[in-house]
Amino acid sequence: MRALIMAGGAGTRLMLGEKPLVTINGTPMISLVLAAFERAGYDSVIVTSPRTPFTINWARVNGIECIRGAGQGYIQDLQEAVKTIEETGPFFTWMIT
């Protein structure tokens, strides 16, 4: 089963850079989320937005599938990602907030 990791938040209120790349004990938050889904047996896909260009680059460097949503909001970007990957079965979604 797939896990769609919604990682399009800029994190402006945090003032620490892009939210998915905020580090926790020296590790980017997105990496911790992906590792948890991997341990659970999910195939993860990161869904980004125009507000997270560094997260897109991070995913490329780490060989992780990444879809760039339009940044219109959680539901719209989720729908766009499901259509892009042609998902027809159940999937898990997680939003980095």
Side-chain angles (χ1 to χ4, degrees):
M1 186 159 45
R2 282 192 180 137
L4 299 179
I5 312 301
M6 307 303 288
T12 53
R13 289 175 290 196
L14 293 173
M15 293 187 280
L16 296 171
E18 292 179 17
K19 199 182 316 179
L21 298 178
V22 169
T23 59
I24 299 170
N25 292 328
T27 303
M29 188 176 354
I30 188 76
S31 184
L32 298 171
V33 171
L34 288 165
F37 277 108
E38 183 178 326
R39 285 190 304 272
Y42 287 83
D43 295 320
S44 297
V45 177
I46 298 173
V47 183
T48 63
S49 78
R51 292 182 296 278
T52 53
F54 293 112
T55 301
I56 294 167
N57 289 338
W58 181 90
R60 274 192 207 126
V61 166
N62 289 282
I64 299 163
E65 185 176 0
C66 183
I67 296 169
R68 183 175 174 172
Q72 298 299 311
Y74 176 81
I75 298 296
Q76 295 87 343
D77 285 358
L78 180 60
Q79 289 173 330
E80 186 178 347
V82 167
K83 185 177 179 180
T84 298
I85 63 173
E86 300 177 343
E87 184 61 66
T88 59
F91 61 89
F92 195 96
T93 184
W94 184 269
M95 183 169 77
I96 296 179
T97 59

Coordinates of all heavy atoms in Angstrom, one line a residue:
M1 N 0.8 -1.2 0.0 CA 0.0 0.0 0.0 C 0.9 1.2 0.0 O 2.0 1.2 0.5 CB -0.9 0.0 1.2 CG -1.9 1.1 1.2 SD -3.5 1.0 2.2 CE -3.0 0.4 3.7
R2 N 0.4 2.3 -0.6 CA 1.1 3.6 -0.6 C 0.8 4.5 0.5 O -0.3 4.5 1.1 CB 0.8 4.3 -1.9 CG 1.5 3.7 -3.1 CD 1.4 4.7 -4.3 NE 2.1 4.2 -5.4 CZ 1.6 4.3 -6.6 NH1 0.4 4.8 -6.9 NH2 2.3 3.8 -7.6
A3 N 1.8 5.3 0.8 CA 1.6 6.4 1.8 C 1.9 7.7 1.0 O 3.0 7.8 0.5 CB 2.5 6.3 3.0
L4 N 1.0 8.6 1.0 CA 1.2 9.9 0.4 C 1.6 10.9 1.5 O 0.7 11.2 2.4 CB 0.0 10.4 -0.4 CG -0.4 9.5 -1.6 CD1 -1.7 10.1 -2.3 CD2 0.7 9.4 -2.6
I5 N 2.8 11.4 1.5 CA 3.3 12.3 2.5 C 3.1 13.7 2.0 O 3.8 14.1 1.1 CB 4.7 12.0 2.9 CG1 5.0 10.5 3.1 CG2 5.2 12.9 4.1 CD1 4.2 9.9 4.2
M6 N 2.2 14.4 2.6 CA 1.9 15.8 2.2 C 2.9 16.7 2.8 O 2.9 16.9 4.0 CB 0.5 16.2 2.5 CG -0.6 15.2 2.0 SD -0.6 15.0 0.3 CE -1.2 16.6 -0.3
A7 N 3.8 17.2 2.0 CA 5.0 18.0 2.5 C 5.1 19.3 1.7 O 6.2 19.6 1.2 CB 6.2 17.2 2.4
G8 N 4.0 20.1 1.7 CA 4.1 21.3 0.9 C 4.1 22.6 1.7 O 4.0 23.7 1.2
G9 N 4.2 22.5 3.0 CA 4.2 23.7 3.9 C 5.5 24.4 4.0 O 6.5 23.8 4.2
A10 N 5.4 25.7 3.8 CA 6.6 26.5 3.8 C 7.2 26.7 5.2 O 8.4 26.9 5.4 CB 6.4 27.9 3.2
G11 N 6.4 26.5 6.3 CA 6.8 26.7 7.6 C 7.2 28.1 8.0 O 8.1 28.3 8.8
T12 N 6.5 29.1 7.4 CA 6.8 30.5 7.7 C 6.7 30.8 9.2 O 7.5 31.6 9.7 CB 6.0 31.4 6.8 OG1 4.6 31.1 7.0 CG2 6.4 31.3 5.4
R13 N 5.7 30.3 9.9 CA 5.5 30.6 11.3 C 6.6 30.0 12.1 O 6.9 30.6 13.2 CB 4.2 30.1 11.8 CG 3.0 30.9 11.2 CD 1.7 30.3 11.6 NE 1.6 29.0 10.9 CZ 0.5 28.3 10.8 NH1 -0.6 28.8 11.3 NH2 0.4 27.2 10.1
L14 N 7.2 28.9 11.7 CA 8.3 28.3 12.5 C 9.6 29.2 12.3 O 10.5 29.1 13.2 CB 8.6 26.9 12.0 CG 7.6 25.9 12.2 CD1 7.9 24.6 11.5 CD2 7.4 25.7 13.7
M15 N 9.8 29.8 11.2 CA 11.0 30.6 10.9 C 12.2 29.7 10.9 O 13.3 30.1 11.4 CB 11.1 31.8 11.8 CG 10.0 32.8 11.5 SD 10.2 34.4 12.4 CE 9.6 33.9 14.0
L16 N 12.1 28.5 10.5 CA 13.2 27.5 10.5 C 13.5 27.0 9.1 O 14.1 26.0 8.9 CB 12.9 26.4 11.4 CG 12.8 26.7 12.9 CD1 12.3 25.5 13.7 CD2 14.2 27.2 13.5
G17 N 12.9 27.6 8.1 CA 13.0 27.0 6.7 C 11.8 26.2 6.4 O 10.8 26.2 7.1
E18 N 11.9 25.4 5.3 CA 10.8 24.6 4.9 C 10.4 23.6 5.9 O 11.3 22.9 6.5 CB 11.1 23.9 3.6 CG 11.2 24.8 2.4 CD 11.6 24.1 1.1 OE1 11.4 22.9 1.0 OE2 12.0 24.8 0.2
K19 N 9.1 23.5 6.2 CA 8.7 22.6 7.3 C 9.1 21.2 7.2 O 9.6 20.6 8.2 CB 7.1 22.7 7.4 CG 6.6 22.2 8.7 CD 5.0 22.2 8.7 CE 4.4 23.4 8.1 NZ 3.0 23.4 8.2
P20 N 9.1 20.5 6.0 CA 9.5 19.1 5.9 C 11.0 18.9 6.3 O 11.4 17.8 6.6 CB 9.2 18.7 4.5 CG 8.2 19.7 4.0 CD 8.5 21.0 4.7
L21 N 11.8 20.0 6.1 CA 13.2 19.9 6.3 C 13.7 20.3 7.7 O 14.9 20.3 8.0 CB 14.0 20.6 5.2 CG 13.8 20.0 3.8 CD1 14.5 20.9 2.8 CD2 14.1 18.6 3.7
V22 N 12.7 20.8 8.5 CA 13.1 21.1 9.9 C 13.7 19.9 10.6 O 13.2 18.8 10.5 CB 11.8 21.7 10.7 CG1 12.1 21.8 12.1 CG2 11.4 23.0 10.1
T23 N 14.8 20.1 11.3 CA 15.5 19.0 11.8 C 15.0 18.7 13.3 O 14.7 19.6 14.0 CB 17.0 19.1 11.8 OG1 17.4 20.3 12.5 CG2 17.5 19.2 10.4
I24 N 15.0 17.4 13.6 CA 14.7 16.9 14.9 C 15.8 16.0 15.3 O 16.1 15.0 14.6 CB 13.3 16.2 15.0 CG1 12.2 17.1 14.5 CG2 13.1 15.6 16.3 CD1 10.9 16.4 14.3
N25 N 16.6 16.4 16.3 CA 17.8 15.7 16.7 C 18.7 15.5 15.5 O 19.3 14.4 15.3 CB 17.5 14.3 17.3 CG 16.8 14.5 18.7 OD1 17.1 15.4 19.4 ND2 15.9 13.6 19.0
G26 N 18.8 16.5 14.6 CA 19.8 16.5 13.5 C 19.3 15.8 12.3 O 20.0 15.6 11.3
T27 N 18.0 15.3 12.3 CA 17.4 14.6 11.1 C 16.2 15.4 10.6 O 15.4 15.8 11.4 CB 17.0 13.2 11.5 OG1 18.1 12.5 12.1 CG2 16.5 12.4 10.4
P28 N 16.2 15.6 9.3 CA 15.0 16.3 8.7 C 13.7 15.5 9.1 O 13.6 14.3 9.0 CB 15.2 16.2 7.2 CG 16.7 16.0 7.0 CD 17.1 15.2 8.2
M29 N 12.7 16.2 9.4 CA 11.4 15.7 9.8 C 10.9 14.7 8.7 O 10.4 13.6 9.0 CB 10.4 16.8 10.1 CG 9.1 16.3 10.6 SD 7.8 17.5 11.1 CE 8.6 19.1 10.9
I30 N 11.0 15.1 7.4 CA 10.5 14.2 6.4 C 11.2 12.9 6.4 O 10.6 11.9 6.1 CB 10.7 15.0 5.0 CG1 10.0 14.2 3.9 CG2 12.1 15.2 4.6 CD1 8.5 14.3 3.8
S31 N 12.5 12.8 6.7 CA 13.2 11.6 6.8 C 12.6 10.7 7.9 O 12.5 9.5 7.7 CB 14.7 11.9 7.0 OG 15.4 10.7 7.0
L32 N 12.3 11.3 9.0 CA 11.7 10.5 10.1 C 10.4 9.9 9.7 O 10.1 8.7 10.0 CB 11.6 11.3 11.4 CG 12.9 11.9 11.9 CD1 12.6 12.9 13.0 CD2 13.8 10.8 12.4
V33 N 9.5 10.7 9.1 CA 8.2 10.2 8.6 C 8.4 9.1 7.6 O 7.7 8.1 7.7 CB 7.4 11.4 8.0 CG1 6.1 10.9 7.4 CG2 7.1 12.4 9.1
L34 N 9.3 9.3 6.6 CA 9.5 8.3 5.6 C 10.0 6.9 6.2 O 9.5 5.9 5.8 CB 10.5 8.7 4.6 CG 9.9 9.8 3.6 CD1 11.1 10.5 2.9 CD2 8.9 9.2 2.7
A35 N 10.9 7.1 7.2 CA 11.4 5.9 7.8 C 10.3 5.1 8.6 O 10.3 3.9 8.5 CB 12.5 6.2 8.8
A36 N 9.4 5.8 9.2 CA 8.3 5.2 9.9 C 7.4 4.4 9.0 O 7.0 3.3 9.2 CB 7.5 6.2 10.7
F37 N 7.1 5.0 7.8 CA 6.3 4.4 6.9 C 7.0 3.2 6.2 O 6.4 2.1 6.0 CB 5.8 5.3 5.8 CG 4.5 6.1 6.2 CD1 4.6 7.5 6.6 CD2 3.3 5.5 6.4 CE1 3.5 8.2 7.0 CE2 2.2 6.2 6.8 CZ 2.3 7.5 7.1
E38 N 8.3 3.3 6.0 CA 9.0 2.2 5.4 C 9.0 1.0 6.4 O 8.8 -0.1 6.0 CB 10.5 2.6 5.2 CG 11.3 1.5 4.5 CD 12.7 2.0 4.2 OE1 12.9 3.2 3.9 OE2 13.6 1.1 4.3
R39 N 9.2 1.3 7.7 CA 9.2 0.2 8.7 C 7.8 -0.5 8.7 O 7.7 -1.7 9.0 CB 9.5 0.7 10.1 CG 11.0 1.0 10.3 CD 11.4 1.3 11.7 NE 10.6 2.4 12.3 CZ 10.9 3.7 12.3 NH1 12.0 4.0 11.7 NH2 10.2 4.6 12.9
A40 N 6.8 0.3 8.4 CA 5.4 -0.3 8.4 C 5.1 -1.0 7.1 O 4.0 -1.5 7.0 CB 4.4 0.8 8.7
G41 N 6.0 -1.0 6.2 CA 5.7 -1.7 4.9 C 5.1 -0.9 3.8 O 4.6 -1.4 2.8
Y42 N 5.0 0.4 3.9 CA 4.4 1.3 2.9 C 5.4 1.7 1.9 O 6.6 1.9 2.2 CB 3.8 2.5 3.6 CG 2.5 2.3 4.4 CD1 2.6 1.9 5.7 CD2 1.3 2.5 3.8 CE1 1.5 1.6 6.4 CE2 0.1 2.3 4.5 CZ 0.2 1.9 5.9 OH -0.9 1.6 6.6
D43 N 4.9 2.0 0.7 CA 5.7 2.6 -0.4 C 5.3 4.1 -0.3 O 4.1 4.4 -0.6 CB 5.3 2.1 -1.8 CG 5.7 0.6 -1.9 OD1 6.8 0.3 -1.4 OD2 5.0 -0.2 -2.5
S44 N 6.2 5.0 0.0 CA 5.9 6.4 0.2 C 6.2 7.2 -1.0 O 7.1 7.0 -1.8 CB 6.7 6.9 1.4 OG 6.4 6.3 2.5
V45 N 5.3 8.2 -1.2 CA 5.4 9.2 -2.2 C 5.3 10.6 -1.5 O 4.4 10.8 -0.7 CB 4.3 9.1 -3.3 CG1 4.4 10.2 -4.3 CG2 4.4 7.8 -4.0
I46 N 6.2 11.5 -1.8 CA 6.2 12.8 -1.2 C 5.4 13.7 -2.1 O 5.6 13.7 -3.3 CB 7.6 13.4 -0.9 CG1 8.4 12.5 0.0 CG2 7.5 14.8 -0.4 CD1 9.8 13.0 0.2
V47 N 4.5 14.5 -1.6 CA 3.7 15.5 -2.4 C 4.1 16.9 -1.9 O 3.9 17.2 -0.7 CB 2.2 15.3 -2.2 CG1 1.4 16.3 -3.1 CG2 1.8 13.8 -2.5
T48 N 4.7 17.6 -2.7 CA 5.3 18.9 -2.4 C 4.4 20.0 -3.0 O 3.4 19.8 -3.6 CB 6.7 19.1 -2.8 OG1 6.8 19.0 -4.2 CG2 7.6 18.0 -2.2
S49 N 4.9 21.3 -2.9 CA 4.2 22.4 -3.5 C 5.2 23.4 -4.0 O 6.4 23.2 -3.7 CB 3.3 23.1 -2.5 OG 4.0 23.9 -1.6
P50 N 4.8 24.4 -4.7 CA 5.8 25.4 -5.1 C 6.5 26.1 -3.9 O 7.6 26.7 -4.0 CB 5.0 26.5 -5.8 CG 3.8 25.7 -6.4 CD 3.5 24.7 -5.3
R51 N 6.0 26.0 -2.7 CA 6.6 26.6 -1.5 C 7.7 25.7 -0.9 O 8.4 26.1 0.1 CB 5.5 26.8 -0.4 CG 4.5 27.9 -0.8 CD 3.5 28.1 0.3 NE 2.7 26.9 0.6 CZ 1.6 26.6 -0.1 NH1 1.2 27.3 -1.1 NH2 0.9 25.5 0.2
T52 N 8.0 24.5 -1.5 CA 9.0 23.6 -0.9 C 10.0 23.2 -1.9 O 10.2 21.9 -2.1 CB 8.3 22.4 -0.2 OG1 7.4 21.8 -1.1 CG2 7.5 22.9 1.1
P53 N 10.7 24.1 -2.6 CA 11.7 23.6 -3.6 C 12.9 22.9 -3.0 O 13.4 22.0 -3.7 CB 12.1 25.0 -4.2 CG 11.9 26.0 -3.2 CD 10.7 25.5 -2.5
F54 N 13.3 23.2 -1.8 CA 14.4 22.5 -1.2 C 14.0 21.0 -0.9 O 14.8 20.1 -0.9 CB 15.0 23.2 0.0 CG 15.6 24.5 -0.4 CD1 15.0 25.7 0.1 CD2 16.8 24.5 -1.1 CE1 15.6 26.9 -0.3 CE2 17.4 25.7 -1.5 CZ 16.8 26.9 -1.0
T55 N 12.7 20.8 -0.5 CA 12.2 19.5 -0.2 C 12.2 18.7 -1.5 O 12.5 17.5 -1.5 CB 10.8 19.6 0.4 OG1 10.9 20.3 1.7 CG2 10.3 18.2 0.8
I56 N 11.8 19.3 -2.6 CA 11.9 18.6 -3.9 C 13.3 18.1 -4.2 O 13.5 17.0 -4.6 CB 11.3 19.5 -5.0 CG1 9.8 19.8 -4.8 CG2 11.6 18.9 -6.4 CD1 9.3 20.9 -5.6
N57 N 14.2 19.0 -4.0 CA 15.7 18.7 -4.2 C 16.1 17.6 -3.3 O 16.8 16.6 -3.7 CB 16.6 19.9 -4.1 CG 16.4 20.8 -5.3 OD1 15.9 20.5 -6.3 ND2 16.7 22.1 -5.0
W58 N 15.7 17.6 -2.0 CA 16.1 16.6 -1.0 C 15.6 15.3 -1.5 O 16.3 14.3 -1.4 CB 15.5 17.0 0.3 CG 15.9 16.1 1.4 CD1 17.0 16.1 2.2 CD2 15.1 14.9 1.8 NE1 16.9 15.1 3.1 CE2 15.8 14.3 2.9 CE3 14.0 14.3 1.4 CZ2 15.4 13.1 3.5 CZ3 13.5 13.1 2.0 CH2 14.2 12.6 3.0
A59 N 14.3 15.2 -1.9 CA 13.7 14.0 -2.4 C 14.5 13.4 -3.6 O 14.8 12.2 -3.6 CB 12.3 14.2 -2.8
R60 N 14.9 14.3 -4.5 CA 15.6 13.8 -5.7 C 17.0 13.2 -5.3 O 17.4 12.1 -5.7 CB 15.9 15.0 -6.6 CG 14.8 15.2 -7.6 CD 15.2 16.2 -8.7 NE 14.1 16.9 -9.2 CZ 13.9 18.2 -9.2 NH1 14.8 19.0 -8.9 NH2 12.8 18.7 -9.7
V61 N 17.7 13.9 -4.4 CA 19.0 13.5 -4.0 C 18.9 12.1 -3.2 O 19.8 11.3 -3.4 CB 19.6 14.5 -3.1 CG1 20.8 14.0 -2.3 CG2 20.0 15.8 -3.9
N62 N 17.8 11.9 -2.5 CA 17.6 10.7 -1.8 C 16.9 9.6 -2.5 O 16.6 8.6 -1.9 CB 16.9 11.0 -0.4 CG 17.9 11.8 0.5 OD1 18.7 11.2 1.1 ND2 17.8 13.1 0.6
G63 N 16.6 9.8 -3.8 CA 15.9 8.8 -4.6 C 14.5 8.5 -4.2 O 14.1 7.4 -4.3
I64 N 13.8 9.5 -3.7 CA 12.4 9.3 -3.2 C 11.4 9.9 -4.2 O 11.6 11.0 -4.6 CB 12.2 9.9 -1.8 CG1 13.2 9.2 -0.8 CG2 10.8 9.7 -1.3 CD1 13.4 9.9 0.4
E65 N 10.4 9.1 -4.6 CA 9.4 9.6 -5.5 C 8.7 10.8 -4.9 O 8.4 10.9 -3.8 CB 8.4 8.5 -5.8 CG 7.4 8.9 -6.8 CD 6.4 7.8 -7.2 OE1 6.4 6.7 -6.6 OE2 5.5 8.1 -8.1
C66 N 8.6 11.8 -5.8 CA 8.1 13.1 -5.4 C 7.2 13.7 -6.4 O 7.5 13.7 -7.6 CB 9.3 14.1 -5.1 SG 8.8 15.7 -4.5
I67 N 6.0 14.2 -6.0 CA 5.1 14.8 -6.9 C 4.9 16.2 -6.5 O 4.8 16.5 -5.3 CB 3.7 14.1 -6.8 CG1 3.8 12.7 -7.3 CG2 2.7 14.9 -7.6 CD1 2.6 11.8 -7.1
R68 N 5.0 17.2 -7.4 CA 4.8 18.6 -7.1 C 3.4 19.0 -7.3 O 2.9 19.0 -8.5 CB 5.8 19.4 -7.9 CG 5.7 20.9 -7.5 CD 6.7 21.7 -8.3 NE 6.5 23.1 -8.0 CZ 7.3 24.0 -8.4 NH1 8.4 23.8 -9.0 NH2 7.0 25.3 -8.1
G69 N 2.7 19.2 -6.3 CA 1.3 19.7 -6.4 C 1.3 21.2 -6.7 O 2.3 21.9 -6.6
A70 N 0.1 21.7 -7.0 CA 0.0 23.1 -7.4 C 0.0 24.1 -6.2 O 0.2 25.2 -6.3 CB -1.3 23.3 -8.2
G71 N -0.1 23.5 -5.0 CA -0.1 24.3 -3.8 C -1.4 25.0 -3.5 O -1.4 26.1 -2.9
Q72 N -2.5 24.4 -4.0 CA -3.8 25.0 -3.8 C -4.5 24.6 -2.5 O -5.6 25.0 -2.2 CB -4.7 24.6 -5.0 CG -4.2 25.1 -6.3 CD -4.1 26.6 -6.4 OE1 -5.1 27.3 -6.0 NE2 -3.0 27.1 -6.8
G73 N -3.8 23.7 -1.7 CA -4.4 23.2 -0.5 C -4.3 21.7 -0.4 O -4.0 21.0 -1.3
Y74 N -4.5 21.3 0.9 CA -4.3 19.8 1.1 C -5.2 19.0 0.2 O -4.7 18.0 -0.4 CB -4.7 19.6 2.6 CG -4.6 18.1 3.0 CD1 -3.4 17.5 3.3 CD2 -5.8 17.4 3.1 CE1 -3.4 16.2 3.7 CE2 -5.8 16.0 3.4 CZ -4.5 15.5 3.7 OH -4.5 14.1 4.1
I75 N -6.5 19.2 0.2 CA -7.4 18.3 -0.6 C -7.1 18.4 -2.1 O -7.0 17.4 -2.7 CB -8.9 18.7 -0.3 CG1 -9.2 18.5 1.1 CG2 -9.8 18.0 -1.3 CD1 -9.2 17.1 1.6
Q76 N -6.9 19.6 -2.6 CA -6.6 19.7 -4.0 C -5.3 19.1 -4.4 O -5.2 18.4 -5.4 CB -6.6 21.2 -4.4 CG -7.9 21.9 -4.3 CD -8.1 22.5 -2.9 OE1 -7.5 22.1 -1.9 NE2 -9.1 23.4 -2.8
D77 N -4.3 19.3 -3.6 CA -3.0 18.6 -3.9 C -3.0 17.1 -3.7 O -2.4 16.4 -4.5 CB -1.9 19.2 -3.0 CG -1.5 20.6 -3.5 OD1 -2.0 21.1 -4.5 OD2 -0.6 21.2 -2.8
L78 N -3.8 16.6 -2.8 CA -4.0 15.2 -2.6 C -4.7 14.6 -3.8 O -4.3 13.6 -4.3 CB -4.7 14.9 -1.3 CG -5.0 13.5 -1.0 CD1 -3.7 12.7 -0.8 CD2 -5.8 13.3 0.3
Q79 N -5.7 15.3 -4.2 CA -6.5 14.8 -5.4 C -5.6 14.8 -6.7 O -5.6 13.8 -7.4 CB -7.7 15.7 -5.7 CG -8.8 15.5 -4.7 CD -9.9 16.5 -4.9 OE1 -9.7 17.6 -5.3 NE2 -11.1 16.1 -4.5
E80 N -4.8 15.8 -6.8 CA -3.8 15.9 -7.9 C -2.8 14.7 -7.9 O -2.5 14.1 -8.9 CB -3.1 17.2 -7.9 CG -2.2 17.5 -9.0 CD -1.6 18.9 -8.9 OE1 -2.0 19.7 -8.1 OE2 -0.6 19.2 -9.7
A81 N -2.3 14.5 -6.7 CA -1.3 13.4 -6.5 C -1.9 12.0 -6.9 O -1.3 11.2 -7.6 CB -0.7 13.4 -5.1
V82 N -3.1 11.8 -6.3 CA -3.8 10.5 -6.6 C -4.0 10.3 -8.1 O -3.8 9.2 -8.6 CB -5.1 10.4 -5.8 CG1 -6.0 9.3 -6.3 CG2 -4.8 10.3 -4.3
K83 N -4.4 11.4 -8.8 CA -4.6 11.3 -10.2 C -3.3 11.0 -10.9 O -3.2 10.2 -11.9 CB -5.2 12.6 -10.7 CG -5.6 12.6 -12.2 CD -6.3 13.8 -12.6 CE -6.6 13.8 -14.1 NZ -7.3 15.0 -14.5
T84 N -2.2 11.7 -10.5 CA -0.9 11.6 -11.2 C -0.3 10.2 -11.1 O 0.2 9.7 -12.0 CB 0.1 12.6 -10.5 OG1 -0.4 14.0 -10.7 CG2 1.5 12.5 -11.1
I85 N -0.5 9.6 -9.9 CA 0.1 8.2 -9.7 C -0.9 7.2 -10.1 O -0.6 6.0 -10.0 CB 0.6 8.0 -8.3 CG1 -0.5 8.1 -7.2 CG2 1.8 9.0 -8.0 CD1 -0.1 7.7 -5.8
E86 N -2.1 7.6 -10.5 CA -3.2 6.7 -10.9 C -3.5 5.7 -9.8 O -3.7 4.5 -10.1 CB -2.8 6.0 -12.2 CG -2.6 7.0 -13.4 CD -2.2 6.3 -14.7 OE1 -1.7 5.2 -14.7 OE2 -2.3 7.0 -15.7
E87 N -3.6 6.2 -8.6 CA -3.9 5.3 -7.5 C -5.4 4.9 -7.5 O -6.3 5.8 -7.6 CB -3.6 6.0 -6.1 CG -3.8 5.2 -4.9 CD -3.0 3.9 -4.9 OE1 -1.8 4.0 -4.8 OE2 -3.6 2.8 -5.0
T88 N -5.7 3.7 -7.4 CA -7.1 3.2 -7.5 C -7.5 2.5 -6.2 O -8.7 2.2 -6.0 CB -7.4 2.3 -8.7 OG1 -6.5 1.2 -8.6 CG2 -7.2 3.1 -10.0
G89 N -6.5 2.1 -5.4 CA -6.8 1.4 -4.2 C -6.7 2.2 -3.0 O -6.5 3.4 -3.0
P90 N -6.8 1.6 -1.8 CA -6.7 2.4 -0.5 C -5.2 2.9 -0.4 O -4.3 2.3 -0.9 CB -7.0 1.4 0.5 CG -6.8 0.1 -0.1 CD -7.1 0.2 -1.5
F91 N -5.1 4.0 0.3 CA -3.7 4.5 0.6 C -3.8 5.3 1.9 O -4.9 5.6 2.4 CB -3.2 5.4 -0.5 CG -4.1 6.6 -0.8 CD1 -3.8 7.8 -0.1 CD2 -5.1 6.6 -1.7 CE1 -4.6 8.9 -0.3 CE2 -5.9 7.7 -1.9 CZ -5.7 8.9 -1.3
F92 N -2.7 5.5 2.5 CA -2.5 6.3 3.7 C -2.0 7.6 3.4 O -1.2 7.8 2.5 CB -1.6 5.5 4.6 CG -1.6 6.0 6.1 CD1 -2.4 5.3 7.0 CD2 -0.9 7.1 6.5 CE1 -2.4 5.7 8.3 CE2 -1.0 7.6 7.8 CZ -1.7 6.9 8.7
T93 N -2.5 8.6 4.1 CA -2.0 10.0 3.8 C -1.5 10.6 5.2 O -2.2 10.3 6.2 CB -3.0 10.9 3.1 OG1 -2.4 12.2 2.9 CG2 -4.2 11.1 3.9
W94 N -0.5 11.3 5.1 CA 0.1 12.0 6.3 C 0.5 13.4 5.9 O 1.1 13.6 4.9 CB 1.3 11.2 6.8 CG 1.9 11.7 8.0 CD1 2.9 12.7 8.2 CD2 1.5 11.4 9.4 NE1 3.1 12.9 9.5 CE2 2.3 12.1 10.2 CE3 0.6 10.5 9.9 CZ2 2.2 12.0 11.6 CZ3 0.5 10.4 11.3 CH2 1.3 11.1 12.1
M95 N 0.1 14.3 6.8 CA 0.5 15.7 6.5 C 1.5 16.2 7.5 O 1.2 16.1 8.7 CB -0.7 16.6 6.5 CG -0.4 18.1 6.2 SD -1.9 19.1 5.9 CE -2.4 19.4 7.6
I96 N 2.6 16.7 7.1 CA 3.6 17.3 8.0 C 3.1 18.7 8.4 O 3.0 19.6 7.5 CB 5.0 17.3 7.3 CG1 5.5 15.9 7.0 CG2 5.9 18.1 8.2 CD1 6.8 15.9 6.4
T97 N 2.7 18.8 9.6 CA 2.1 20.1 10.1 C 2.9 20.7 11.1 O 3.7 20.1 11.8 CB 0.7 19.8 10.7 OG1 0.8 18.9 11.7 CG2 -0.2 19.3 9.6

